[in-house]
């Protein structure tokens, strides 16, 4: 499994759908996952540290975990089939009991951000669904890629996908 971090949210210019972008620690691979608007909003609120007056769904899930004695050990994005991603929440309690809970990746990512838990992606998903950020004709290092993602606009993301036809499914 490869640990990945959330780089941010972009918009698909063709559909207007939000995309959460994960990348590996070396900034060599980016994994775009199309998600729903409410999940994108939840992820953005956490990234931007935006407080809400009442607990939202992902906050509620974190509270339930804390009250029941389980903690999120990690998120595993373990499969992709016909552009649908599959993930598990791996929960553990003080007794070492481990539970694997099926989850949409968007929900799992929103919860992982709140609990500061790692996000792992299996090698098969990395091979099938990531975009290389290490282009042979360009000398872009990790800092340049980080700056690129930080300033990403929806139109930039479409251009990036168009320039990398092997990333389309």
């Amino acid at each position: 499994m490869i640990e990945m971090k959330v780089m941010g949210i972009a918009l698909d210019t063709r559909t207007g759908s939000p995309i959460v972008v994960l990348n590996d620690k070396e900034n060599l691979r980016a994994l775009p996952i199309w998600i729903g608007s409410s999940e994108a909003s939840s992820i953005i609120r956490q990234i931007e540290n935006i407080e809400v007056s009442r607990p939202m769904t992902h906050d509620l899930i974190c509270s339930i975990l804390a009250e029941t004695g389980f903690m999120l050990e990690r998120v595993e994005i373990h499969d992709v089939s016909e552009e649908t991603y599959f993930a598990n929440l791996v929960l553990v309690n003080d007794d070492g009991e481990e539970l694997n809970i099926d989850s949409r990746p968007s929900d799992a990512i929103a919860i992982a951000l709140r609990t500061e838990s790692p996000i792992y992606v299996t090698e098969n998903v990395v091979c099938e669904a990531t975009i290389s950020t290490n282009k042979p004709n360009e000398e872009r290092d990790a800092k340049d890629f980080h700056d690129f993602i930080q300033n990403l606009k929806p139109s930039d993301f479409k251009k990036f996908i168009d320039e990398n036809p092997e990333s389309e499914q």
Side-chain angles (χ1 to χ4, degrees), residues 8 15 17 25 36 65 86 91 114 119 155 165-166:
T15 65
S17 297
K25 288 182 176 183
L65 289 175
F86 298 86
L91 309 176
R114 283 163 173 73
I119 301 166
S155 59
E166 74 278 357

Side-chain angles (χ1 to χ4, degrees), residues 32-50:
I33 301 175
W34 278 251
I35 63 175
S37 297
S38 61
E39 292 81 10
S41 178
S42 179
I43 291 169
I44 290 168
R45 275 195 307 274
Q46 188 62 33
I47 290 171
E48 299 291 328
N49 294 314
I50 298 171

Side-chain angles (χ1 to χ4, degrees), residues 78-159:
H78 60 82
D79 200 9
V80 59
S81 176
E82 298 177 17
E83 299 180 16
T84 299
Y85 292 84
F86 298 86
N88 283 329
L89 298 171
V90 180
L91 309 176
V92 295
N93 66 12
D94 291 337
D95 297 331
E97 181 183 0
E98 185 174 289
L99 298 174
N100 286 297
I101 308 294
D102 183 35
S103 175
R104 295 181 303 178
S106 55
D107 292 322
I109 290 166
I111 295 166
L113 287 172
R114 283 163 173 73
T115 60
E116 299 180 2
S117 301
I119 301 166
Y120 290 98
V121 180
T122 58
E123 290 185 28
N124 66 309
V125 173
V126 169
C127 289
E128 287 183 42
T130 60
I131 300 166
S132 173
T133 57
N134 187 18
K135 297 180 185 176
N137 296 333
E138 296 182 37
E139 307 241 342
R140 185 183 337 176
D141 63 10
K143 182 185 181 313
D144 290 340
F145 181 66
H146 182 269
D147 293 343
F148 169 76
I149 292 291
Q150 294 293 55
N151 297 311
L152 189 64
K153 298 183 292 290
S155 59
D156 296 333
F157 197 81
K158 181 181 179 336
K159 179 182 175 191

